[in-house]
Amino acid sequence: MSTKKFIKEKHIAAKFFTDKIVEICPVGHGNINYTHIVTLEKSDGDSFRVILQKINHHIFPDVDGMMSNIYNITEYLRSNLSAEHDPARSVMTVVKALDGKLYTKYGDEFYRCYAMVENSISYQKVECAEDFYYCGVAFADFQRVLTDYPVKTLNEAVKDYHNTEARYDAFVKAVENNKAGRKSVVEEEIEFYLSRKNLASLIMDKINSRTIPLRLVHNDAKPNNLLFDAVTNKPICVIDFDTVSPGAACFDFGDAIRFAGTRQSDTDSSLSVDLSLFEAYTKGYLSIAKNFLTKEEIDTLAVSALVITYECGMRFLADYLDGDVHFRTGYPHHNLERTRNHMKLVKDIEQKLPLLEQIVLKYAQ
């Protein structure tokens, strides 16, 4: 696709590079940011590609703080790589703008740039247990390497990202405000989340009482935020650090299961946890994490899948009540469909929780 349809993006890319811009193509499935791949040509004729991304500053209002987090964490990861890892492929590389800043502005919009990790692939959804096993290994290793990172220096790009108590309060407020006038058609869904209020405090109580420690967590540990080598199909690089913040290690575990521990998408009405996928991820995750997590943290892993699924479904319903202003939607009532399917997944996890806890115990030994 030529640059003719992307005049704005061409102007923005020129703030990062003086090289000739050859091609610009939209890419990705994210709910928040908008992404393009830009192909450039050097003066010697060699070409290279970069990721140009518009930052949703409505969701991430502290752009300075977020980009500072990302740059500092990637530099920390790079400095802690073992000798066999290629820094250009094992860690995201933030490309600074020509003025030396970590992002640039175009009008009232914010843009950033990353080096492209070539010969890599990502999965929007995994169906192969082996791939999900390696996802568990990769995200656990991400947490391991960052165990000693000074979490108190992090800027909280999104306040209370996985603070389920705060998410519950925001949900109640959305119900009360009823901005989009939809409350009357979702009374059953509202009652579902209100009746499970106890889930909102299960993990937060452990954090607040310091039963489990605060760690640097990714907060969006999905397979599509992990790059695999296109030849070996082994994970090489964790990406998308927008939501990295202090939190419980189980946040990443629970969200991975919510998003990819099923063989259906969140638009499938038969959404349920696949025990073989759960076991694969748990085996991979605990092969690394059992060496640095406390027993109390390990005890939160299975139930975190329930809590995070409850939290996310509640967020979809809150956004539906607010008029679909947060998550990107593909059609009318998309958020409502997501909400209802998460309700089914919550019920499924509730029923299977004893089995999930047995699987965790099996690989924690």
Side-chain angles (χ1 to χ4, degrees):
M1 191 175 296
S2 71
T3 62
K4 291 181 179 179
K5 295 182 179 180
F6 300 100
I7 301 301
K8 180 174 71 172
E9 287 76 13
K10 184 176 181 180
H11 285 299
I12 295 162
K15 293 190 175 187
F16 290 92
F17 301 96
T18 57
D19 306 279
K20 179 183 177 182
I21 299 168
V22 177
E23 186 177 53
I24 300 176
C25 295
V27 67
H29 300 86
N31 285 331
I32 304 299
N33 299 312
Y34 290 82
T35 307
H36 292 80
I37 293 178
V38 181
T39 303
L40 301 107
E41 186 178 284
K42 298 179 182 179
S43 57
D44 61 6
D46 287 345
S47 62
F48 64 100
R49 298 192 299 170
V50 298
I51 300 293
L52 183 67
Q53 191 170 65
K54 177 183 175 182
I55 301 170
N56 189 328
H57 64 282
H58 302 292
I59 305 302
F60 303 106
D62 183 9
V63 176
D64 281 312
M66 179 180 68
M67 291 307 300
S68 177
N69 282 350
I70 294 170
Y71 183 77
N72 290 336
I73 292 168
T74 53
E75 290 302 297
Y76 183 93
L77 288 170
R78 209 179 318 277
S79 68
N80 284 276
L81 281 178
S82 53
E84 67 269 21
H85 288 95
D86 179 358
R89 290 176 59 75
S90 300
V91 183
M92 288 196 311
T93 300
V94 178
V95 178
K96 293 183 179 180
L98 295 175
D99 62 6
K101 294 182 179 179
L102 298 175
Y103 63 90
T104 192
K105 289 192 69 177
Y106 186 87
D108 61 352
E109 298 175 341
F110 297 78
Y111 289 83
R112 63 184 169 201
C113 187
Y114 296 115
M116 184 80 175
V117 179
E118 296 291 354
N119 300 312
S120 67
I121 56 176
S122 65
Y123 297 104
Q124 181 66 13
K125 194 74 175 174
V126 295
E127 294 186 4
C128 170
E130 183 180 16
D131 290 343
F132 206 29
Y133 165 86
Y134 283 116
C135 287
V137 171
F139 281 111
D141 200 50
F142 174 82
Q143 290 182 344
R144 179 193 64 80
V145 175
L146 292 163
T147 296
D148 295 325
Y149 189 91
V151 280
K152 291 184 178 179
T153 66
L154 288 170
N155 301 292
E156 199 168 10
V158 178
K159 184 172 174 58
D160 294 325
Y161 190 81
H162 274 314
N163 182 335
T164 316
E165 290 178 325
R167 295 296 190 183
Y168 180 87
D169 291 341
F171 166 69
V172 171
K173 186 176 181 180
V175 172
E176 292 172 348
N177 291 340
N178 191 23
K179 290 181 180 178
R182 293 169 165 174
K183 179 178 176 180
S184 62
V185 298
V186 290
E187 294 289 356
E188 183 179 340
E189 289 80 5
I190 291 170
E191 179 55 30
F192 178 91
Y193 289 102
L194 293 178
S195 68
R196 288 167 170 76
K197 181 181 178 181
N198 66 300
L199 293 179
S201 58
L202 274 183
I203 295 173
M204 294 310 302
D205 281 352
K206 295 181 184 298
I207 293 175
N208 294 332
S209 66
R210 299 186 180 180
T211 303
I212 58 177
L214 281 178
R215 297 186 184 274
L216 188 154
V217 291
H218 188 282
N219 276 328
D220 198 17
K222 302 181 298 191
N224 58 359
N225 284 329
L226 178 62
L227 298 181
F228 287 74
D229 187 277
V231 176
T232 66
N233 204 40
K234 296 297 188 295
I236 53 174
C237 183
V238 176
I239 62 172
D240 192 355
F241 297 169
D242 292 0
T243 54
V244 167
S245 66
C250 65
F251 289 167
D252 285 353
F253 184 94
D255 203 25
I257 300 303
R258 174 199 71 83
F259 184 84
T262 70
R263 294 192 185 274
Q264 308 92 357
S265 70
D266 66 7
T267 58
D268 191 318
S269 60
S270 62
L271 201 62
S272 63
V273 172
D274 184 287
L275 292 178
S276 64
L277 289 179
F278 181 88
E279 181 158 3
Y281 190 88
T282 302
K283 181 180 180 180
Y285 181 83
L286 283 175
S287 69
I288 302 292
K290 68 180 181 181
N291 298 313
F292 66 87
L293 293 185
T294 66
K295 178 185 180 302
E296 290 75 16
E297 288 177 291
I298 292 173
D299 288 344
T300 65
L301 294 180
V303 77
S304 72
L306 174 60
V307 171
I308 299 300
T309 302
Y310 166 80
E311 174 194 296
C312 195
M314 186 166 55
R315 290 177 61 199
F316 285 134
L317 183 53
D319 196 33
Y320 182 75
L321 289 165
D322 285 340
D324 304 320
V325 295
H326 180 89
F327 295 104
R328 189 188 303 183
T329 55
Y331 45 86
H333 308 300
H334 191 173
N335 273 328
L336 179 57
E337 185 177 81
R338 289 163 167 162
T339 296
R340 289 172 173 166
N341 292 338
H342 274 66
M343 289 165 60
K344 292 174 183 176
L345 186 55
V346 165
K347 291 177 183 178
D348 185 66
I349 297 174
E350 287 175 336
Q351 293 176 354
K352 293 176 179 173
L353 189 57
L355 292 174
L356 304 186
E357 290 173 335
Q358 289 176 21
I359 292 170
V360 169
L361 184 62
K362 174 182 176 180
Y363 292 104
Q365 305 304 316

PDB file of all heavy atoms in Angstrom, residues 104 256 307 362:
ATOM      1  N   THR A 104       6.389  11.955  19.599  1.00  0.00           N
ATOM      2  CA  THR A 104       6.196  13.239  18.935  1.00  0.00           C
ATOM      3  C   THR A 104       4.712  13.566  18.901  1.00  0.00           C
ATOM      4  O   THR A 104       3.868  12.692  19.122  1.00  0.00           O
ATOM      5  CB  THR A 104       6.771  13.207  17.508  1.00  0.00           C
ATOM      6  OG1 THR A 104       6.834  14.539  16.983  1.00  0.00           O
ATOM      7  CG2 THR A 104       5.918  12.354  16.586  1.00  0.00           C
ATOM      8  N   ALA A 256      -3.924 -13.884  31.139  1.00  0.00           N
ATOM      9  CA  ALA A 256      -3.550 -14.795  30.059  1.00  0.00           C
ATOM     10  C   ALA A 256      -4.578 -15.909  29.912  1.00  0.00           C
ATOM     11  O   ALA A 256      -4.975 -16.260  28.800  1.00  0.00           O
ATOM     12  CB  ALA A 256      -2.162 -15.385  30.321  1.00  0.00           C
ATOM     13  N   VAL A 307     -11.035 -13.879  38.977  1.00  0.00           N
ATOM     14  CA  VAL A 307     -11.115 -12.461  39.348  1.00  0.00           C
ATOM     15  C   VAL A 307     -10.912 -11.556  38.131  1.00  0.00           C
ATOM     16  O   VAL A 307     -11.671 -10.599  37.915  1.00  0.00           O
ATOM     17  CB  VAL A 307     -10.087 -12.127  40.449  1.00  0.00           C
ATOM     18  CG1 VAL A 307     -10.018 -10.619  40.689  1.00  0.00           C
ATOM     19  CG2 VAL A 307     -10.433 -12.854  41.742  1.00  0.00           C
ATOM     20  N   LYS A 362       0.029 -29.161  41.167  1.00  0.00           N
ATOM     21  CA  LYS A 362       0.824 -30.181  40.480  1.00  0.00           C
ATOM     22  C   LYS A 362       2.150 -29.615  39.979  1.00  0.00           C
ATOM     23  O   LYS A 362       3.210 -30.260  40.122  1.00  0.00           O
ATOM     24  CB  LYS A 362       0.016 -30.757  39.315  1.00  0.00           C
ATOM     25  CG  LYS A 362       0.762 -31.733  38.430  1.00  0.00           C
ATOM     26  CD  LYS A 362      -0.117 -32.200  37.275  1.00  0.00           C
ATOM     27  CE  LYS A 362       0.612 -33.107  36.310  1.00  0.00           C
ATOM     28  NZ  LYS A 362      -0.269 -33.539  35.186  1.00  0.00           N
TER      29      LYS A 362
END
